[in-house]
Amino acid sequence: MEQPDLDTSVLDARLAAAKEASYRLARATTAEKDAALERIASDLRARASEVIAANGLDLQAGRAAEIGRGLLDRLALDEPRIDALADAVLDVIGLTDPVGETLTGRTLPSGVRIDQVRVPLGVVGAIYEARPNVTIDIAVLALKSGNAVVLRGGSAAEQTNRVLVDVLRGALDAVGLPAEAVQTVDDFGRAGARHLMQARGYVDVLIPRGSAGLIRAVVDEARVPVIETGAGVVHMFLDASAPEHWAIELVHNAKVQRPSVCNALETLLVHQEAAERLLPSVLDRLTDAGVTIHADERVRAIRPDALPVTDEDFATEHMSLDLSVAVVDSLDDALEHIRRFSTKHTESIVTNDLANAERFLNEVDSAAVMVNASTRFTDGAEFGFGAEVGISTQKLHARGPMGLPELTSTKWIVRGAGHVRA
Amino acid sequence: MEQPDLDTSVLDARLAAAKEASYRLARATTAEKDAALERIASDLRARASEVIAANGLDLQAGRAAEIGRGLLDRLALDEPRIDALADAVLDVIGLTDPVGETLTGRTLPSGVRIDQVRVPLGVVGAIYEARPNVTIDIAVLALKSGNAVVLRGGSAAEQTNRVLVDVLRGALDAVGLPAEAVQTVDDFGRAGARHLMQARGYVDVLIPRGSAGLIRAVVDEARVPVIETGAGVVHMFLDASAPEHWAIELVHNAKVQRPSVCNALETLLVHQEAAERLLPSVLDRLTDAGVTIHADERVRAIRPDALPVTDEDFATEHMSLDLSVAVVDSLDDALEHIRRFSTKHTESIVTNDLANAERFLNEVDSAAVMVNASTRFTDGAEFGFGAEVGISTQKLHARGPMGLPELTSTKWIVRGAGHVRA
């Protein structure tokens, strides 16, 4: 699988250095880690012009490669964005350090004492695409929770990331923590990414952040544990009893407030008994906001100018002002549709029927299930986590918005006085 | 990868049936699930002769294939063993149902209420080797925690497992739960196992139980989330200050009490300052119990009749009365040895030095880290979990002995009253 001329010994040396540094980070005090974060924030500001110059090279290459306006916008860093990034680093200082927390403990009948305590995962790998702010975000969250990181940003951000990694390593070194706790494999391109995905024994968890395609590729190729983040084909169901003003506001907020993110609405399902009552005003509010409606036949009977919707639309996370809309016969049909097309991120029911609300909450198998609330609430900051590593759509280890505790594992501390097992 | 004549549609139908059944299981009340377990226990006893007859066929085939005495013993079921198995099923009834437990909850500043509640994982896959009791064990634990299971036992136990799966499915059906919640892929041999490992979207977690080779193969081939259980290259370190009577009893208990299990001692490290004081009595007690000592040069200076030890010994889980023994210069050297050879299962220090005890507890990166206790304590029953799914040696989701809560995920329940995000 490796390219013939790839010198894996360099990559292995970096991974081994990250592992070694992770042992030191695991023992670092909260004060030491916070000092590093403070230094990262101040160095980011101090070296802003250097970051912006490197970013300029990436932007230039991106424009030449015609990567598109959306990507260019995510890639771009200027003084205000760097300032905001530094502020976000300082915010992490205020978060509770999860390491060392005792989750449970008891004295066994034999007198042996056991305690389950939080420990860092060790080495966190991150694979993401052309968003240099992720470089700082993920490294800072990993460091605060006592982990080393190995980063693979998109090649489109390579020059920017090079400077940012240098800032991170310099700050660690300045406060007496090992610079080796931050590593990059960007200079090895895709071969570096593949090596990272297969680095069993070195990488304790790998977090892909980005498109569905990226995440799928990582899941397919990885031999290390992965936390899948992401894709949100998010549904809202307007039940027969849905109050009209809630329906209008909730659908509008879920779809329009920030359409490019994973908790934004992609599909609206409407109970047949409510379709004529609700759809005109709900859809008017959306089209006024510039939303393109992709609708099934029953919706188009009410709104003939809507585009026809396909199964492909139902399965797509548009991340744009496009919305699929369908009428369903019943709550059961809504649940069935959701089961078929949902990516298990967030779904919401709008209803005034208690039994239906409870059924929806119980039976929808998603990270966040809501009643009468906008799907935009599925978010680490909204949930009060202070920062967000990503939103897990898998069921193992972490589900939904991930904060610092999700970057830890546990270990059992067992204390005896010569106790043997009978 | 699939054999050309493999009819994957049958396998896919079973996986889909398990998934469908998992939705029903997820909503089953504790009373319904306990009724199923009670029926499983009574049907096991009622059909004991049928189980034993099928087991006889497996044993006959095993003897013909010369699979070895140890494997034959693990494979064999007789009336007392079936009785014990049924009793173990009844024990699970007494365990707390983890489903529905609220882990945390708060009201957000906006007034939106969020609660994190335990939900079943969904479909649990299990791949294991020729131990028919695992068929019952894992299915019962999965069912109690609201999950469906897809089982792949070793082909050496195929006849026995066929009857046991029939018992499980019959019991579910008898109490009004879907028989489809228990599926087997045994009749598809290795191709069935491979299909199970790659069943993304159907299997929420795959648990391999068995040899290091089996676990490695699953990790390599799986495209679904895996929890690694197992292999234990377990260390005990006798520090300079280790009290002699503790050293003798702890080493003996850890090595001899049950040498064939994963928490049994494999390597004994002794501080150089304690070697002459402790090794004669510690090793005498072991050789009296029939233990074969594989020792480094410094140990052999004290015990010339010991076999020489190799790095391969240090890396091997013998699961027999063999013990690797080495003298180290310091606690640092002991930590270094453990870092190199440990499978991160369990390690223990015997010491009277508080600072060294704390360093060992903090710096050893294993699922269970002990001071002055036998490594045999790393066990679900000893920890008070009542039953054990396995012992996780990975850091994600579960670490150390896994009980029922480790077979669950969580979801966020969000309740608003028309709340939109500002």
Side-chain angles (χ1 to χ4, degrees), chain A residues 130-162:
Chain A
R131 293 180 63 172
N133 60 314
V134 174
T135 302
I136 298 295
D137 270 359
I138 198 108
V140 159
L141 293 169
L143 293 172
K144 174 82 184 198
S145 48
N147 296 288
V149 275
V150 184
L151 304 166
R152 156 64 180 163
S155 49
E158 194 176 336
Q159 303 300 327
T160 316
N161 284 338
R162 189 198 310 265

Side-chain angles (χ1 to χ4, degrees), chain B residues 43-219:
Chain B
D43 285 1
L44 265 179
R45 286 191 240 262
R47 294 174 66 178
S49 59
E50 193 186 338
V51 173
I52 291 167
N55 190 244
L57 297 174
D58 284 331
L59 287 170
Q60 199 178 337
R63 275 185 221 102
E66 296 180 2
I67 63 172
R69 236 167 56 93
L71 277 180
L72 282 173
D73 179 56
R74 288 170 168 214
L75 176 54
L77 288 181
D78 54 17
E79 196 97 27
R81 282 190 179 183
I82 290 172
D83 236 36
L85 202 49
D87 285 343
V89 174
L90 295 179
D91 287 344
V92 174
I93 293 176
L95 301 182
T96 303
D97 184 347
V99 174
E101 185 192 354
T102 301
L103 297 180
T104 183
R106 67 182 69 97
T107 303
L108 304 182
S110 59
V112 169
R113 172 85 203 163
I114 64 171
D115 288 288
Q116 187 183 35
V117 298
R118 279 199 194 281
V119 295
L121 282 166
V123 176
V124 174
I127 297 187
Y128 50 97
E129 286 166 330
R131 294 180 63 176
N133 61 314
V134 174
T135 302
I136 298 294
D137 270 358
I138 198 108
V140 159
L141 293 169
L143 293 172
K144 174 81 184 199
S145 49
N147 296 287
V149 275
V150 183
L151 304 166
R152 155 64 180 162
S155 48
E158 195 177 336
Q159 302 301 327
T160 316
N161 284 338
R162 190 198 310 266
V163 179
L164 294 177
V165 165
D166 197 57
V167 166
L168 291 164
R169 293 171 62 107
L172 286 169
D173 192 52
V175 303
L177 288 173
E180 292 73 21
V182 177
Q183 298 286 343
T184 171
V185 296
D186 273 349
D187 47 337
F188 284 87
R190 297 181 64 85
R194 266 202 305 276
H195 202 77
L196 178 57
M197 291 187 239
Q198 311 205 338
R200 281 179 57 77
Y202 290 122
V203 174
D204 294 290
V205 63
L206 183 60
I207 302 175
R209 277 179 64 167
S211 68
L214 171 83
I215 292 165
R216 174 76 208 201
V218 170
V219 169

Side-chain angles (χ1 to χ4, degrees), chain A residues 7 10 37 47 183 185 196 220 253-254 309 316 341 355 385 412 417:
Chain A
D7 185 358
V10 175
L37 301 197
R47 294 172 68 177
Q183 299 285 343
V185 296
L196 178 57
D220 279 351
N253 186 258
V309 69
T316 300
F341 291 107
F385 298 171
W412 288 97

Side-chain angles (χ1 to χ4, degrees), chain A residues 106 121 200 219 253 257 361 364 367 369 371-372 376 383 395 397 399 409-412 414 418 421-422, chain B residues 106 121 200 219 253 257 361 364 367 369 372 376 383 395 397 399 409-412 414 416 418 421-422:
Chain A
R106 68 181 69 97
L121 282 166
R200 280 178 58 78
V219 169
N253 186 258
Q257 200 226 5
L361 292 175
V364 171
V369 195
V371 52
N372 296 332
R376 291 275 296 118
F383 275 21
K395 292 189 184 171
H397 186 73
R399 197 174 193 205
S409 181
T410 57
K411 76 179 174 190
W412 288 97
V414 180
R421 187 163 159 190
Chain B
R106 67 182 69 97
L121 282 166
R200 281 179 57 77
V219 169
N253 186 258
Q257 200 227 5
L361 292 176
V364 171
V369 195
N372 296 332
R376 292 274 296 118
F383 276 20
K395 293 189 184 171
H397 186 72
R399 197 175 193 203
S409 181
T410 57
K411 75 179 175 191
W412 288 97
V414 179
R421 187 163 160 190

